[in-house]
Amino acid sequence: MKSQQKKTSQIDYWQPGMECCDEIWEAAYRRFETPAQELKKFIYRLQKLGINEWDKDLSVVELFCGQGTGLHALQQLGFHSTEGVDLSPHLLEQYQGPAQLYVGDCRELKFETQSRDVLIVQGGLHHLPVLPADLDQTLSEIHRVLRPGGNIVIVEPWQTPFLRFVHSVSRIRLLRKLWSKLDAFAIMTEQEIVTYEQWLSQPEKILTLLNTYFQTKQQIIAYGKLMYVGHRV
């Protein structure tokens, strides 16, 4: 009889981590979308980038993984060698699944050089406190950890006409009162405004850094998002 698959993840501490979380941001995010909606969104993104067609034996790490919805998405797509890294023990403790977890800073990964096949970031890079320096350091670490031929996958907010429109309507108080999701989006933006605006204001520097470390395989900019797949030579 086969043994049951491990259901509860193990958390290793590379460092003590940071206390979390911004309760105002967390409450807004719970109004913005349900866990089921978030999971569906992550699966859609990965499928749009063709990641569901990749070899399911690849070792995949999600950085800034939070409570692990992206890890669940990867597992639903069939990947079985998954790991997650986040600076918040509080968020990692909410994950229930088979992935190995690490409390750590993504600017200083403890993985061995050229030891992983895929590294994924969904909505974490725009929280980096200092740009472009922190992004440079993070991408350098990702490049170091990836095996030759490995891939980086990034989904981050991006300044597009659609996002500008959303920002403009989110400043209309009446619309926020009428549409809870819009109000939740506005609150989340307000709570992370410093790093968020810093990220949105430097598209050329960000793309230059990505092209410095990786060969672009896919780059989709639409509806307020950058969806990027890069290849490590």
Side-chain angles (χ1 to χ4, degrees):
M1 187 173 180
K2 292 183 178 179
S3 61
Q4 289 186 337
Q5 185 184 35
K6 179 181 176 185
K7 295 297 183 183
T8 304
S9 61
Q10 176 181 337
I11 302 177
D12 287 349
Y13 282 72
W14 289 342
Q15 58 181 249
M18 295 178 61
E19 288 298 323
C20 182
C21 292
D22 182 335
E23 294 182 359
I24 296 174
W25 191 97
E26 288 288 316
Y29 192 74
R30 287 193 294 271
R31 286 197 294 124
F32 183 73
E33 61 185 0
T34 67
Q37 289 170 334
E38 183 183 43
L39 177 61
K40 183 178 179 180
K41 175 184 71 180
F42 283 1
I43 291 174
Y44 168 79
R45 289 174 177 174
L46 296 174
Q47 290 176 329
K48 185 175 180 65
L49 291 170
I51 291 154
N52 56 307
E53 299 176 1
W54 293 358
D55 185 349
K56 301 307 186 292
D57 290 330
L58 294 172
S59 57
V60 185
V61 180
E62 179 156 32
L63 306 180
F64 304 89
C65 69
Q67 60 189 3
T69 305
L71 295 171
H72 288 304
L74 288 164
Q75 288 143 17
Q76 286 202 17
L77 292 175
F79 294 93
H80 50 80
S81 178
T82 54
E83 298 168 288
V85 180
D86 199 274
L87 201 52
S88 168
H90 171 79
L91 289 178
L92 294 179
E93 287 165 1
Q94 298 178 45
Y95 170 78
Q96 293 294 315
Q100 169 67 54
L101 304 180
Y102 306 90
V103 176
D105 189 328
C106 295
R107 294 167 295 187
E108 191 176 349
L109 300 171
K110 303 300 184 184
F111 297 122
E112 294 181 1
T113 298
Q114 297 186 11
S115 63
R116 301 298 189 272
D117 297 306
V118 181
L119 271 75
I120 296 176
V121 183
Q122 297 197 66
L125 297 176
H126 74 276
H127 294 297
L128 291 169
V130 181
L131 290 183
D134 284 343
L135 179 62
D136 192 351
Q137 188 173 350
T138 301
L139 294 180
S140 176
E141 277 292 87
I142 292 172
H143 184 273
R144 178 187 65 79
V145 169
L146 281 173
R147 295 187 175 102
N151 294 307
I152 177 176
V153 179
I154 291 173
V155 181
E156 291 288 342
W158 208 250
Q159 191 68 278
T160 65
F162 174 80
L163 189 60
R164 291 190 187 93
F165 172 75
V166 173
H167 286 157
S168 66
V169 298
S170 70
R171 290 191 286 268
I172 302 173
R173 293 291 175 178
L174 178 59
L175 291 180
R176 288 177 58 170
K177 288 181 179 179
L178 294 174
W179 189 8
S180 177
K181 189 179 181 75
L182 181 65
D183 183 60
F185 171 82
I187 291 172
M188 290 189 295
T189 301
E190 291 162 3
Q191 292 301 112
E192 59 182 19
I193 193 65
V194 174
T195 60
Y196 182 71
E197 289 191 340
Q198 176 183 237
W199 174 266
L200 292 179
S201 68
Q202 301 186 49
E204 295 84 4
K205 291 181 180 179
I206 292 167
L207 293 178
T208 295
L209 280 174
L210 287 173
N211 291 328
T212 297
Y213 287 102
F214 308 102
Q215 286 187 350
T216 301
K217 293 177 67 175
Q218 289 191 70
Q219 181 175 299
I220 303 170
I221 296 175
Y223 297 104
K225 293 293 180 186
L226 167 68
M227 301 176 66
Y228 173 89
V229 179
H231 180 74
R232 185 202 192 281
V233 178

